[in-house]
Amino acid sequence: KNNEGSITFSPDEKTIYYTQESVKKDGKLELYKATLDLKSKENWTNITKIDLKTNGHSIETPSISPDGKKIFFATNMPGGLGGFDLYEAAINKDGTYGTPINLGPSINTTEDEKSPTISEDNKHLYFSSKGHLNIGGYDVFKSSIVNNKYLPALNLGVTLNSRRDDLAFVLVSEDKGYLSTDKSQSGNFDILKFEVKHFDKSNPNFTIIEAL
C-alpha cells in the first residue's frame, strides 16, 4: 500500500533491488531485494529488507555495478557532506553487505546527489547533483574512476542538462541512453532518449612551425 521507488538489477537479472516507503509513512525510503523464480506464481520471491547501516535514514536511487560487486545509493544519514550524499557498499559472496563508504568531495557536495550509475567498463560514474558547476536543479555529471579513486566531476553540458531537474541518466550502450527530466517545466518528469556523438578517433598529422 506504500510507494515503491527506484529499481536496479543484478548483472544476471535474477535479483532485483528496489526502494519502498517506510511503513511509518514518514517520507523515508528503505531498500529491499527479491529473487526471480519463474516457476513461482509471484515470479519475485524471497523479498528481504536490506540493512545498510544507515541508522534508519532514507536510502534512495540504488544501482548495482556491472560486475555485481558493489551497490551504490543516495542517503541523507549523518556524516556526509550535506543533504543526500552518494555511497558505495560491497556485495559480498556470502550475501552480506560491507560498510557504506562515502564517495568523497569529488562527488558529494553540501547540496543533494542522487541517481548513481556505473559504466559497463567500470571506469566512469554518472550521477545527478544540485551542486558542483551546475546549470540548474539536478544536473548529470561524470567522474572517471582511476585506481579506485573518483576524479573531480564534470558537468555533461547544456545539450543534456537544463535549468530544471535532470535525473536517472543511464547508458544502455556506448552511444545510446535515457534520461528522466523536467525540461518541459511542467513539474512532471518525461523520459527522453539520447545518442552520443563521438569525436573522430583517428590520428591526424600536424606540422609545427615556429614563429620567429
Side-chain angles (χ1 to χ4, degrees):
K1 295 182 180 180
N2 299 322
N3 292 324
E4 281 71 45
S6 304
I7 63 172
T8 183
F9 294 87
S10 60
D12 62 7
E13 297 186 349
K14 293 182 179 180
T15 303
I16 184 174
Y17 295 81
Y18 64 98
T19 56
Q20 186 178 75
E21 184 183 3
S22 167
V23 293
K24 298 179 181 179
K25 295 186 178 181
D26 52 8
K28 295 179 183 177
L29 294 176
E30 299 172 332
L31 184 64
Y32 289 80
K33 74 173 182 178
T35 304
L36 179 63
D37 183 357
L38 296 178
K39 296 180 180 179
S40 168
K41 181 179 179 181
E42 290 81 13
N43 284 342
W44 294 102
T45 61
N46 299 325
I47 298 174
T48 307
K49 181 180 174 181
I50 300 175
D51 181 12
L52 290 180
K53 302 175 183 177
T54 58
N55 299 319
H57 290 79
S58 192
I59 296 179
E60 302 185 12
T61 60
S63 177
I64 303 297
S65 61
D67 58 12
K69 295 181 179 180
K70 292 181 179 180
I71 183 170
F72 295 81
F73 59 94
T75 180
N76 58 350
M77 71 177 182
L81 278 72
F84 277 85
D85 276 12
L86 298 184
Y87 288 75
E88 65 177 45
I91 301 176
N92 301 317
K93 292 183 179 180
D94 61 2
T96 60
Y97 299 87
T99 301
I101 299 173
N102 189 293
L103 297 192
S106 291
I107 304 300
N108 294 311
T109 67
T110 56
E111 301 291 337
D112 292 332
E113 281 73 42
K114 292 188 179 181
S115 301
T117 182
I118 299 291
S119 61
E120 285 294 325
D121 57 10
N122 284 295
K123 292 182 178 180
H124 305 287
L125 168 70
Y126 296 93
F127 65 99
S128 291
S129 173
K130 288 184 176 180
H132 298 290
L133 294 176
N134 195 288
I135 298 171
Y138 281 102
D139 278 6
V140 180
F141 291 82
K142 171 184 175 181
S143 171
S144 296
I145 305 171
V146 179
N147 296 325
N148 293 318
K149 294 184 178 180
Y150 297 94
L151 300 187
L154 299 175
N155 191 302
L156 292 192
V158 295
T159 56
L160 188 79
N161 291 311
S162 67
R163 294 189 179 276
R164 307 287 287 191
D165 289 330
D166 305 288
L167 291 157
F169 174 96
V170 59
L171 284 172
V172 295
S173 68
E174 184 180 359
D175 54 7
K176 292 182 180 180
Y178 295 90
L179 178 73
S180 183
T181 179
D182 183 26
K183 292 180 186 292
S184 63
Q185 303 185 27
S186 65
N188 297 309
F189 283 84
D190 295 323
I191 298 175
L192 304 183
K193 64 180 179 179
F194 60 85
E195 294 185 3
V196 179
K197 293 184 178 180
H198 298 279
F199 290 108
D200 185 2
K201 295 181 180 179
S202 61
N203 296 315
N205 294 320
F206 295 93
T207 300
I208 309 298
I209 300 175
E210 182 178 0
L212 300 178

